């Protein structure tokens, strides 16, 4: 049983699968390869990051405290209050905010503790939308939980469809992962929808893990967050953890820096996991992170960059796909008919690497993988570089989607 669980980590790891798919295929078209398969923004974080790290260099000789420090927790609390219009009395920074060394680690660990806590009461299910960020299913498998994949397709605006979940499944749930803006589809959960989930978490006693790492990347209005849902429901944060990261907001995935906020009992539990087998945030990183959460200028600049890139994407890909701009986040989620074949052809003909959508989803009851028709393209280059990449991709996509040869689709150029 355990071996199967570990095996599933290899079988379903999206990037391992992609490497295998493209193994032995030369990137073609005489082009320099462009890597758009990974959500790794290629923009420089603000210069003050390096300055703060240098200033706090004495911290390299210390084991950092799991809870971080007061300056960090207060910066996060102030940011959450500004971003989500929370009253100052809502969050206790000492008990309800914890730094995490990247949210991937924390999202993984929450399954370990939630399933362990739920098991004696028969609560071992870990629910997630389908498609989903791969870490959720890996965590469920390693935790000994039972992953359950909720349809999240066009019919439910690409959000997990609450109407299709039984009360029995919710009673057996230890944990529900909810991602908004969603990776990969870019769907934004409305406030009422978030409230519904939080009410369900309380009624059926499961942990609601709201993964909001794309919360700062949006075209117009800021996406609502689960802490706003908690505020609307009276201000308590029991059963809820929100996950925020500097990887996307500040284009600093190498910093490995984020935080979780919410239920004090769950925060304490998570801190214990870090004490045993996790990574507390190094003090120089904590100093840089504190400054980043206090600064909005670089985030606004990033947003403008994404807005420009998505306008370009719309100009270039609109004639093939119609509307391609997501509600939030930085992925294009394109219905190409056959995601694997398209990923191979884009690599072979245009030297552009993208992720087949099926690698982020599992087959549902009807045996169909809801991601199989799609590719996910990470819009993570500067707008002019992104324009060049998309122009390279368009004729190949046109050919595959509308059955034209790439040469004809490019106007014979
Ligand atoms: C949906 C989602 N959640 C969490 C993460 C992890 O981010 P990090 O560990 O860099 O904070 C990612 C990274 O791609 C993601 O796409």
């Amino acid at each position: 049983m355990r071996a199967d669980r570990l095996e599933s980590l290899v079988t379903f790891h999206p990037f391992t699968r992609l490497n295998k798919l493209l193994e032995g295929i030369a990137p073609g078209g005489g082009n320099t390869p462009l890597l758009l398969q990974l959500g790794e923004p290629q923009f420089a974080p603000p210069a003050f990051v390096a300055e703060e790290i240098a200033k706090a260099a004495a911290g390299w000789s210390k084991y950092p405290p799991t809870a971080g420090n007061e300056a960090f927790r207060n910066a996060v609390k102030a940011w959450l209050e500004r971003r989500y219009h929370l009253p100052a009395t809502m969050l206790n920074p000492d008990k309800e905010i914890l730094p995490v060394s990247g949210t991937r680690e924390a999202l993984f660990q929450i399954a370990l503790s939630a399933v362990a806590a739920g098991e004696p009461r028969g609560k071992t299910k870990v629910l997630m939308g389908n498609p989903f960020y791969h870490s959720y299913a890996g965590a469920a498998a390693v935790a000994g939980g039972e992953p359950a994949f909720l349809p999240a397709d066009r019919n439910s605006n690409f959000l997990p469809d609450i109407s299709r979940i039984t009360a029995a499944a919710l009673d057996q749930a230890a944990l529900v992962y909810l991602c908004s803006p969603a990776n990969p589809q870019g769907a934004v959960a409305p406030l009422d929808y978030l409230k519904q989930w939080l009410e369900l978490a309380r009624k059926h006693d499961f942990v609601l893990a709201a993964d909001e790492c794309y919360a700062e990347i949006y075209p117009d209005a800021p996406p609502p967050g689960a802490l706003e849902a908690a505020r609307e429901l009276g201000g308590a944060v029991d059963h809820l953890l929100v996950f925020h990261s500097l990887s996307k907001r500040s284009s600093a995935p190498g910093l490995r820096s984020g935080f979780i906020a919410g239920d004090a009992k769950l925060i304490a539990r998570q801190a214990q996991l870090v004490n045993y087998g996790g990574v507390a945030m190094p003090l120089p990183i904590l100093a840089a992170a504190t400054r980043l959460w206090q600064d909005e200028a670089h985030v606004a600049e990033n947003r403008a960059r994404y807005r420009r890139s998505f306008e370009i994407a719309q100009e270039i890909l609109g004639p093939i796909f119609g509307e391609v701009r997501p509600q939030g986040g930085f992925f294009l989620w394109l219905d190409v008919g056959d995601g694997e074949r398209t990923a191979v052809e884009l690599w072979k003909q245009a030297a552009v690497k993208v992720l087949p959508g099926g690698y982020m989803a599992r087959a549902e009851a009807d045996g169909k993988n809801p991601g199989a028709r799609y590719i996910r393209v990470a819009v993570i280059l500067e707008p002019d570089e992104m324009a060049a990449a998309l122009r390279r991709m368009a004729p190949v996509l046109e050919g595959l989607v509308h059955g034209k040869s790439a040469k004809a689709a490019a106007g014979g150029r």
Side-chain angles (χ1 to χ4, degrees), residues 261-318:
D263 191 326
K265 200 173 77 194
L266 299 174
I267 294 273
R269 216 192 253 166
Q270 182 79 12
Q272 270 319 342
L273 285 192
V274 174
N275 289 341
Y276 275 87
V279 180
M281 197 183 299
L283 289 167
I285 306 288
L286 202 66
T290 303
R291 182 94 183 264
L292 282 168
W293 288 113
Q294 287 165 338
D295 184 72
E296 294 298 338
H298 74 285
V299 189
E301 238 172 72
N302 269 346
R303 260 195 302 276
R305 213 183 238 130
Y306 286 115
R307 204 173 288 128
R308 180 75 199 115
S309 287
F310 279 111
E311 277 162 15
I312 293 168
Q314 188 58 38
E315 274 163 40
I316 298 174
L317 300 180

Side-chain angles (χ1 to χ4, degrees), residues 124-380:
T124 55
K125 275 198 164 54
V126 177
L127 276 52
M128 65 200 80
N130 195 26
F132 54 90
Y133 175 55
H134 68 278
S135 209
Y136 309 157
V142 172
E146 189 193 334
F149 305 102
L150 309 174
D153 54 26
R154 220 176 277 283
N155 298 323
S156 57
N157 292 325
F158 293 106
L159 295 167
D161 191 345
I162 296 181
S163 70
R164 289 168 70 179
I165 312 167
T166 62
L170 291 170
D171 280 336
Q172 291 162 15
L175 171 67
V176 173
Y177 287 110
L178 199 64
C179 188
S180 172
N183 175 6
Q185 313 98 312
V188 165
L191 190 54
D192 276 349
Y193 178 87
L194 295 171
K195 277 160 66 181
Q196 261 180 293
W197 270 113
L198 187 52
E199 283 174 321
L200 288 173
R202 288 170 176 164
K203 182 169 172 202
H204 297 274
D205 194 18
F206 58 78
V207 176
L208 180 61
D211 182 352
E212 299 179 344
C213 73
Y214 293 97
E216 290 292 81
I217 300 165
Y218 52 83
D220 308 309
L227 284 174
E228 278 176 294
R231 180 204 62 207
E232 295 278 296
L233 294 172
V237 290
D238 61 286
H239 292 82
L240 172 66
L241 281 182
V242 298
F243 295 68
H244 282 271
S245 174
L246 292 172
S247 300
K248 323 293 176 180
R249 175 184 184 268
S250 300
S251 308
L255 210 56
R256 310 309 303 127
S257 187
F259 71 83
I260 58 174
D263 191 326
K265 200 173 77 194
L266 299 174
I267 294 273
R269 216 192 253 166
Q270 182 79 12
Q272 270 319 342
L273 285 192
V274 174
N275 289 341
Y276 275 87
V279 180
M281 197 183 299
L283 289 167
I285 306 288
L286 202 66
T290 303
R291 182 94 183 264
L292 282 168
W293 288 113
Q294 287 165 338
D295 184 72
E296 294 298 338
H298 74 285
V299 189
E301 238 172 72
N302 269 346
R303 260 195 302 276
R305 213 183 238 130
Y306 286 115
R307 204 173 288 128
R308 180 75 199 115
S309 287
F310 279 111
E311 277 162 15
I312 293 168
Q314 188 58 38
E315 274 163 40
I316 298 174
L317 300 180
I320 310 173
F321 296 100
E323 181 62 59
V324 297
R325 286 166 292 194
Q327 293 175 317
F330 55 53
F331 296 111
L332 293 165
W333 183 241
L334 302 174
D335 184 348
V336 291
D338 181 339
E340 269 190 333
R341 176 167 176 233
T342 304
V344 168
E345 291 305 319
L346 283 172
W347 185 238
K348 201 166 20 180
Q349 298 184 44
V352 176
K353 202 180 267 191
V354 303
L355 190 67
Y359 292 5
M360 297 195 70
R362 297 284 169 85
E364 286 177 357
D366 60 3
K368 286 196 185 133
N369 179 323
R373 295 185 56 86
Y374 293 81
I375 54 168
R376 191 193 75 171
V377 183
V379 179
I380 37 84

